[in-house]
Amino acid sequence: MSVDADRDDRDLKAELASSAAGRFGIPVDAVCVGCGQTRVKRACLEEMDQQPDGDLTTLEATDCTSFKHVCYQCQGATYWNPVAVLIGLLESERDRGE
């Protein structure tokens, strides 16, 4: 996915900036297995069964496994299924020096 700024009329940059996205890892668009909501979350490559030094430019969501993260709607930690690796958001963070 090359254009990450908006997806289904959502502001992905705002979702990534939210504390609900997490603080560490790469940004992925993911679906909560508990309630079905889709949100931007951060996940470490290892959490998604990927090599920590893997090439992010070739990483596809279908290569990633579910990872555990907080879901505020479910009110606890649940599993999330990645649907898109948001490389564009990651690159824009790097460009800003975050």
Side-chain angles (χ1 to χ4, degrees), residues 55-70:
D55 182 5
L56 295 179
T57 61
T58 61
L59 183 63
E60 297 288 332
T62 55
D63 298 330
C64 301
T65 61
S66 298
F67 60 93
K68 205 162 193 179
H69 207 287
V70 173

Side-chain angles (χ1 to χ4, degrees), residues 8-74:
D8 300 327
D9 297 325
R10 293 170 33 221
D11 184 346
L12 300 183
K13 285 184 179 182
E15 286 184 32
L16 182 61
S18 165
S19 62
R23 297 183 62 187
F24 303 102
I26 63 167
V28 295
D29 208 21
V31 177
C32 174
V33 298
C35 65
Q37 77 170 320
T38 303
R39 290 285 177 257
V40 174
K41 296 290 182 180
R42 288 186 182 273
C44 295
L45 291 171
E46 297 92 338
E47 292 177 289
M48 297 184 290
D49 285 338
Q50 298 299 308
Q51 294 297 319
D53 58 351
D55 182 5
L56 295 179
T57 61
T58 61
L59 183 63
E60 297 288 332
T62 55
D63 298 330
C64 301
T65 61
S66 298
F67 60 93
K68 205 162 193 179
H69 207 287
V70 173
C71 176
Y72 290 97
Q73 189 165 321
C74 290

